[in-house]
C-alpha cells in the first residue's frame, strides 16, 4: 500500500521531530510533532514524538498522556511501550 500525501507528510514531520529531540531541541520537536498529528491524527508515531519532546521539556504528565494516545493508534509498537516504561519505573 502506498502512503497518502497526508501520511507521508506526517511521517516526514515525525522524523524531523525525532531529530530535534535527538539534538535536545525539545521545543522544536514539540512543534513538529504537533504538526505531524495535525497532518494525520491517526499516526501513532506523531503522538510518541510529542510524548518524547514533552518528556524532554519536563512535562511528564502531558508526555504520559501522549504515549498513551499513541498506544490507542498502534498498540503493539515497542517505541510507545518504551515511552510508558519511564512512568512505570518512576511509580515504583
Amino acid at each position: 500500500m502506498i502512503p497518502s500525501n497526508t501520511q507521508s507528510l506526517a511521517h516526514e514531520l515525525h522524523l524531523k521531530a525525532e531529530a530535534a529531540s535527538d539534538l535536545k531541541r525539545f521545543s522544536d520537536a514539540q512543534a513538529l510533532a504537533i504538526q505531524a498529528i495535525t497532518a494525520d491524527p491517526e499516526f501513532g508515531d506523531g503522538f510518541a514524538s510529542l510524548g518524547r519532546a514533552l518528556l524532554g521539556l519536563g512535562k511528564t504528565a502531558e508526555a504520559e498522556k501522549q504515549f498513551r494516545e499513541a498506544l490507542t493508534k498502534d498498540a503493539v509498537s515497542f517505541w510507545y511501550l518504551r515511552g510508558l516504561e519511564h512512568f512505570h519505573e518512576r511509580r515504583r
Side-chain angles (χ1 to χ4, degrees), residues 31-91:
L32 289 161
I34 290 170
Q35 289 176 37
I37 292 166
T38 301
D40 185 356
E42 296 303 312
F43 184 53
D45 287 351
F47 290 94
S49 291
L50 180 55
R52 183 177 178 209
L54 291 168
L55 197 57
L57 292 169
K59 299 178 180 182
T60 55
E62 292 175 56
E64 181 177 11
K65 180 181 173 191
Q66 298 308 316
F67 283 117
R68 290 189 183 282
E69 184 63 25
L71 280 171
T72 69
K73 310 301 180 188
D74 180 3
V76 296
S77 175
F78 173 78
W79 168 240
Y80 311 156
L81 293 172
R82 183 78 174 118
L84 283 173
E85 178 182 32
H86 168 81
F87 299 101
H88 176 70
E89 289 176 358
R90 288 183 57 165
R91 290 187 178 133

Side-chain angles (χ1 to χ4, degrees), residues 3-15:
S4 70
N5 288 340
T6 299
Q7 290 170 325
S8 295
L9 175 61
H11 184 72
E12 181 180 327
L13 290 164
H14 151 71
L15 293 176

